[in-house]
Amino acid sequence: DDGGLLTAIIPELAPLKTCAQNGYHQFDAFEHTLQAFGFLETLLHVPEKQVPAGHFLRHQPPSIRRRPLLKYAALLHDIGKPGTRTVDEAGRAHFYNHEKESADLAQGIHQRLRLSKRQQSYADFIIRHHLKPLSLFTLFQKTRLSQKAVNRFFLKCGHLSGDLLTHAVADAFGKGDPENAAAFAAFADTLHKAYAGSFLPIKNLPQLLSGDDLIR
């Protein structure tokens, strides 16, 4: 970026540099993106610097094959913020539906960079759903998180649950509030363990009744 190459390749990142954020962020949108990207590098390569022993990122990190795409998605996850920024009467900035706008904008970048359809689908999924783990955490903090909501998350994300949670942890640390980010990282670890230990064993049970049974 210092040499001008980053925004020459991805000009959609340039508007982030003048996009001020709200009280949940210490940085503007561009600096937050770089912070999140940097924390993702740490979580993928030296997770012991960021998360405690026993955390899923120290034992079950995203696959090496998908890591470049996960970092690519992290770079683009907030490009929709400038176009969705509004300010309320109290002077607070909001970015409603920025995750969808980011994913839509990123589709043009995917095609320009000649990503395969599988690569595009993966990056789109991470960007489009990157707020879902945070939404669950907000419900958890308000003691309103239901098992039904958790199951819906697992059904939607499937085997990419861990990748999405990894991105969300990096995103949380990139906001500049380490205490809240550590609390979210612990929540993400609990979710990941619930997926592997509770959800998958039930989901993988053989069907009690199939369509063929009904026909017979």
Side-chain angles (χ1 to χ4, degrees):
D1 180 62
D2 289 343
L5 185 58
L6 181 62
T7 51
I9 297 172
I10 309 176
E12 292 85 351
L13 287 169
L16 297 181
K17 296 183 177 183
T18 55
C19 184
Q21 302 204 86
N22 51 35
Y24 295 107
H25 290 264
Q26 181 179 330
F27 312 107
D28 63 30
F30 184 74
E31 182 61 27
H32 160 67
T33 295
L34 296 189
Q35 289 286 331
F37 188 93
F39 278 110
L40 181 57
E41 286 276 17
T42 299
L43 292 170
L44 292 175
H45 299 290
V46 279
E48 62 273 13
K49 287 187 176 182
Q50 213 63 48
V51 293
H55 196 280
F56 81 91
L57 280 168
R58 295 179 65 166
H59 305 284
Q60 294 177 286
S63 72
I64 292 176
R65 179 176 59 85
R66 292 199 299 264
R67 290 181 186 184
L69 282 173
L70 187 59
K71 293 192 288 184
Y72 169 76
L75 199 60
L76 304 182
H77 79 283
D78 274 349
I79 57 172
K81 277 191 169 179
T84 58
R85 189 178 188 274
T86 59
V87 180
D88 63 22
E89 294 178 353
R92 291 186 296 264
H94 300 280
F95 305 93
Y96 297 120
N97 296 316
H98 78 270
E99 71 279 13
K100 297 180 178 61
E101 179 70 12
S102 297
D104 291 344
L105 281 173
Q107 288 180 352
I109 302 171
H110 305 335
Q111 294 170 13
R112 194 168 69 235
L113 298 181
R114 301 294 191 270
L115 269 65
S116 69
K117 288 185 177 180
R118 180 176 294 181
Q119 291 171 331
Q120 290 185 42
S121 177
Y122 176 85
D124 182 84
F125 181 86
I126 297 297
I127 298 168
R128 195 171 297 276
H129 300 293
H130 77 264
L131 288 184
K132 288 188 183 298
L134 180 60
S135 298
L136 294 182
F137 183 54
T138 301
L139 290 173
F140 171 75
Q141 289 178 310
K142 296 178 179 178
T143 65
R144 290 169 48 194
L145 180 61
S146 66
Q147 188 60 49
K148 186 176 182 180
V150 172
N151 288 341
R152 278 200 305 266
F153 173 78
F154 291 152
L155 285 169
K156 179 71 177 179
C157 300
H159 71 286
L160 294 181
S161 296
D163 290 29
L164 191 60
L165 289 171
T166 301
H167 174 279
V169 172
D171 194 13
F173 277 109
K175 292 178 180 179
D177 184 348
E179 185 176 341
N180 189 65
F184 176 78
F187 172 75
D189 185 52
T190 300
L191 270 186
H192 191 275
K193 287 180 170 61
Y195 176 74
S198 303
F199 179 79
L200 276 184
I202 294 174
K203 185 177 183 295
N204 293 335
L205 287 173
Q207 287 182 312
L208 297 177
L209 193 66
S210 71
D212 289 336
D213 294 326
L214 293 176
I215 292 172
R216 285 196 297 269

